[in-house]
Amino acid sequence: MWPAPSLASTLHATVASPRLIRPQGFMLRAEASSSHDRRRNVVVIGAGWAGLASAHHLCKQGFDVTILGAGSCPTEEIALRGFWCPYHNIFSIIDELGIKPFTMRTKFALYTSEGVQFPHLSLLDRLTSIPLISAVIDFDNTDTAWRKYDAMTAKELLKQYGCSERLYREIYQPFIEVGLLAPAEQCSAATTLSMLYYYVLSHQQNFDVVWCRGTVQEKIFLPWLETMKSKGCTFHGNKKVTDFVVNESTGHISGVLCGQDFYEADAFVQATCISTLKSIVANSSTLQSRQEFLNILNLAAVDVVHVKIWLDRKVKIPRAINVCSGHENSIGWVFFDLNSLFDEYEGEPATVLEAEFYHANQLLVLKDEQIVLKLMSSLSRFIKELEQVSVVQQKVSRFPNSATHFFPELILFRLSLTQTGSSSFYLPLELITGSYNYMMKGSTSLPNLFMAGDWIITRHGSWSQEKAFVTGLQAANQVVDYFGEGEFARIIPVEDDEPHIETLRELNRRFNEVRE
């Protein structure tokens, strides 16, 4: 660590050339270099699912790993909270750590805007979902498919394929608001198809979810970090990266600056949320010189608000996990019965509930008491007994720009100076292509800088925490490949398509080839 940026800018890092990789059994091993004896140093920026996944594997390969976290300990990422059946890679690391953080598999309740649990849709409404299968078949997770469907909104997609108004309002809309953390008219159709297929449509047994019996930070991340520390990993909390230092003679990064502190390494994994990376780019002359990082500034994030309340009596909550729609406009939300989910509240004499609001920019500016009143008003529509209870304790947490927003093509408008009579009208100012066009891959033009996070382009097919975890492993594998040392992490693929889906996709591919 160095005391001043002026000293850091003169430092140079020793950089190894990539080595040939050869298959060895189930995993691959990079051919080791004999040109050096010292251990390689890797700095991982970010201590969420992506960063910890990278650091864990690199520690096991014998690298000296330093994690730079924004907080005093690993931070719980804002995303879809449950752990779904296809999260095979996350479940694998949980088994490896030997911890038991999860509840039994459970199903969740779905409340409509009218306060009805599990809406009973007519057969006609349900049948209107059938045409959407053709879009699911056509969307095969390729670059072509992403660019095609990124050009429309989720709402446009569902309308175009004949989804009934009630099916959209009571089923698809709340799932999109909670799964993609934004309203359907502001979400890309590509991300919607990918998310719906991964969580809902691909395999029916995937629809069960397990939940952490406390916070992910307490039950998973902290034990995980202790395991890595025992292998020599170093964690530095409360570190905000402000710039990267490049060795001009090699074109490689030699270190990162955190204010007055400098961390030197041979390779770097950037594994933060999109808003943190945008902040780094805004302050980094190094990253601003490259278009791929300037593109990051076009990406967006949504606001999230957490509310935890303690009630003055026991209230029976039908389901521990509840997906809701109809709170204000454009806000998706869920609420949890913590007495059923968290070990620490299992014997609590009072009812403890937690709610999480997505796309919550309307709530950020309100006082805590106002937010709690809105929550209780909404909860009372679903569970009448809550009309008679009082809140004895509350905790409101605000997370502005904390979750990735996968937006479609957007047209920005300006007020024209041209007037007709006494009225003005709007003219299109510019077209912003969808978020996919600005997202990065795991490698960068800086040879020893690799990226990870739920906003990275990957063909794995997973979403949310699992996607972040997988991209972390992919970044670790790129470090192994770069050094030519160590074994590649085994990444469990998404389950194969069911036979009828694969057959239909093959027919669709052939049809598209003939048409072209």
Side-chain angles (χ1 to χ4, degrees), residues 3 47 79 108 134 142-143 166 173 233 239 261-262 343 355 357 433 458 468 489:
F108 51 81
S134 62
T142 60
D143 181 74
R166 188 180 180 199
Q173 182 176 349
C233 178
K239 296 297 179 182
D261 297 331
F262 179 79
D343 291 343
F357 296 94
T433 56
T458 173

Side-chain angles (χ1 to χ4, degrees), residues 202-316:
S202 59
H203 305 86
Q204 293 304 309
Q205 65 269 26
N206 291 348
F207 214 54
D208 291 341
V209 188
V210 298
W211 300 81
C212 195
R213 301 198 321 265
T215 66
V216 169
Q217 180 188 81
E218 172 194 7
K219 296 292 185 179
I220 300 177
F221 284 175
L222 289 177
W224 193 2
L225 183 59
E226 289 303 314
T227 298
M228 285 189 277
K229 286 180 178 179
S230 69
K231 299 180 184 297
C233 178
T234 303
F235 175 79
H236 293 285
N238 300 314
K239 296 297 179 182
K240 180 181 179 181
V241 172
T242 52
D243 205 353
F244 290 84
V245 177
V246 174
N247 184 328
E248 297 298 337
S249 63
T250 65
H252 294 72
I253 294 176
S254 58
V256 294
L257 287 165
C258 298
Q260 296 298 308
D261 297 331
F262 179 79
Y263 294 89
E264 184 179 15
D266 302 302
F268 301 83
V269 175
Q270 166 69 41
T272 65
C273 67
I274 192 62
S275 57
T276 299
L277 179 57
K278 288 175 68 173
S279 177
I280 295 174
V281 173
N283 290 289
S284 171
S285 56
T286 298
L287 299 186
Q288 290 169 14
S289 66
R290 298 169 187 266
Q291 186 61 45
E292 62 193 317
F293 290 100
L294 290 177
N295 287 343
I296 290 295
L297 299 177
N298 291 315
L299 293 176
V302 298
D303 305 320
V304 178
V305 172
H306 285 182
V307 184
K308 185 184 292 186
I309 55 174
W310 287 257
L311 306 180
D312 62 353
R313 71 189 72 170
K314 274 287 188 181
V315 177
K316 180 175 177 56

Side-chain angles (χ1 to χ4, degrees), residues 81 212-215 338-346:
R81 293 280 291 278
C212 195
R213 301 198 321 265
T215 66
L338 297 190
N339 299 91
S340 300
L341 296 177
F342 281 22
D343 291 343
E344 64 179 299
Y345 300 124
E346 186 176 4

Side-chain angles (χ1 to χ4, degrees), residues 413-429:
F413 292 87
R414 64 180 171 85
L415 184 62
S416 173
L417 296 178
T418 303
Q419 295 187 344
T420 302
S422 59
S423 62
S424 300
F425 58 91
Y426 289 90
L427 291 176
L429 174 63

Side-chain angles (χ1 to χ4, degrees), residues 327-392:
H327 183 96
E328 307 295 338
N329 293 320
S330 77
I331 297 179
W333 65 294
V334 293
F335 73 92
F336 309 94
D337 176 11
L338 297 190
N339 299 91
S340 300
L341 296 177
F342 281 22
D343 291 343
E344 64 179 299
Y345 300 124
E346 186 176 4
E348 185 83 13
T351 301
V352 185
L353 303 178
E354 183 178 64
E356 190 168 81
F357 296 94
Y358 312 117
H359 199 256
N361 48 297
Q362 300 175 49
L363 299 180
L364 284 180
V365 298
L366 300 181
K367 296 180 179 178
D368 290 359
E369 293 75 14
Q370 293 175 298
I371 296 175
V372 171
L373 283 175
K374 284 181 174 288
L375 170 61
M376 291 302 297
S377 174
S378 296
L379 288 173
S380 299
R381 296 206 322 270
F382 307 145
I383 303 171
K384 296 301 181 182
E385 190 179 348
L386 291 175
E387 295 178 350
Q388 311 300 323
V389 303
S390 299
V391 176
V392 296

